[in-house]
Amino acid sequence: MGKLFDGKLVFTQIPLLLKYLPVTMELAVTAMIASLILGLLLALVKIKKVPVLKQLVSIYISVIRGTPVLVQLYVTYFGIPMFLKYINFKCGTNYNVNGVAPIVYAFVALALNESAFNAEIIRASLESVDKGQVEAASALGMNYFQALIRIILPEAIVVALPSLGNAFIGLIKGTSLAFVCSVVEMTAEGKILAGRNYRYFEVYISLAIIYWVITFVLERVISYLE
């Protein structure tokens, strides 16, 4: 009968799992950047109360925030190929559905999911800037876009940084679900390793250590930036 728990295996597997850390970080960083851009646009629509768009944005944010990211990953993974096949059928185009890399599906799902949460963080941060400063910028002849770039965003970033930092940490942990889109990142590789030796508990302990170290380092970086 083998060992009930192999502590040595926990640490010997960490280097094997770390080989897939670049995939995890690439997915997290690109999804975060895209979600910040989209989140800013969504926030501005709500702040400026753009007719029709404001209602659509509110529905989008409600749906995304109200459904599990795992479900969104599945919907994206199966929905995008169906959409591309529909375009092929209707327009006579020739999109290679099978040629889309699995990581693209995970990126789209995670970016859309994070954008809904970031939109609310950014909106609250933008609205926290003193209205008097915006009025002063307008009196100096700046349009809203100029005031946004020169005055509002620099101040709002300071307010939003802690929440956005936590969102990024959550996104990194969320990439562990990308295996449902056939993306081989750290968690998926852990499942593969565990399937070979049936040491699932040790593998998940190894993954927990890696994710904890990443989170700890990011928390220190965010605190320093604050």
Side-chain angles (χ1 to χ4, degrees):
M1 183 176 178
K3 292 181 181 179
L4 183 63
F5 175 74
D6 190 344
K8 182 180 178 181
L9 186 62
V10 170
F11 295 98
T12 57
Q13 289 179 138
I14 288 178
L16 299 176
L17 295 171
L18 285 175
K19 290 180 181 179
Y20 292 84
L21 177 60
V23 179
T24 294
M25 295 307 297
E26 176 189 358
L27 184 56
V29 171
T30 54
M32 188 64 182
I33 292 172
S35 71
L36 286 173
I37 296 171
L38 181 55
L40 175 60
L41 295 175
L42 296 174
L44 290 175
V45 168
K46 294 194 73 174
I47 290 173
K48 303 302 287 185
K49 295 181 172 61
V50 181
V52 181
L53 284 181
K54 181 179 182 294
Q55 286 73 23
L56 292 176
V57 166
S58 296
I59 293 172
Y60 167 80
I61 292 175
S62 177
V63 170
I64 295 296
R65 291 176 57 146
T67 53
V69 64
L70 183 61
V71 173
Q72 294 167 23
L73 282 161
Y74 276 122
V75 169
T76 304
Y77 187 55
F78 293 107
I80 291 179
M82 289 178 63
F83 178 70
L84 292 178
K85 288 178 181 177
Y86 177 78
I87 293 177
N88 288 345
F89 177 75
K90 284 292 184 181
C91 304
T93 53
N94 189 29
Y95 291 110
N96 183 9
V97 177
N98 297 323
V100 180
I103 197 171
V104 173
Y105 301 121
F107 162 76
V108 171
L110 292 173
L112 292 177
N113 176 269
E114 197 65 27
S115 69
F117 291 90
N118 287 346
E120 292 301 294
I121 295 172
I122 294 171
R123 180 189 59 78
S125 302
L126 293 176
E127 291 183 335
S128 71
V129 177
D130 186 1
K131 298 294 187 295
Q133 297 188 54
V134 180
E135 292 171 0
S138 178
L140 290 172
M142 293 186 193
N143 57 37
Y144 183 78
F145 180 76
Q146 290 173 322
L148 180 69
I149 298 298
R150 298 178 183 179
I151 297 171
I152 303 174
L153 276 180
E155 293 191 33
I157 287 173
V158 177
V159 177
L161 185 59
S163 297
L164 291 178
N166 289 333
F168 181 55
I169 289 173
L171 180 58
I172 290 176
K173 291 183 284 189
T175 60
S176 63
L177 297 173
F179 69 88
V180 303
C181 294
S182 302
V183 177
V184 181
E185 38 67 62
M186 287 194 299
T187 300
E189 177 62 16
K191 288 177 176 291
I192 294 171
L193 289 175
R196 294 172 183 166
N197 54 24
Y198 299 102
R199 289 287 186 173
Y200 288 92
F201 184 70
E202 286 85 349
V203 166
Y204 288 125
I205 291 295
S206 302
L207 285 169
I209 292 172
I210 294 172
Y211 281 112
W212 174 74
V213 171
I214 294 172
T215 299
F216 179 81
V217 171
L218 285 174
E219 285 176 345
R220 300 284 75 77
V221 172
I222 293 166
S223 297
Y224 175 77
L225 291 175
E226 288 181 41

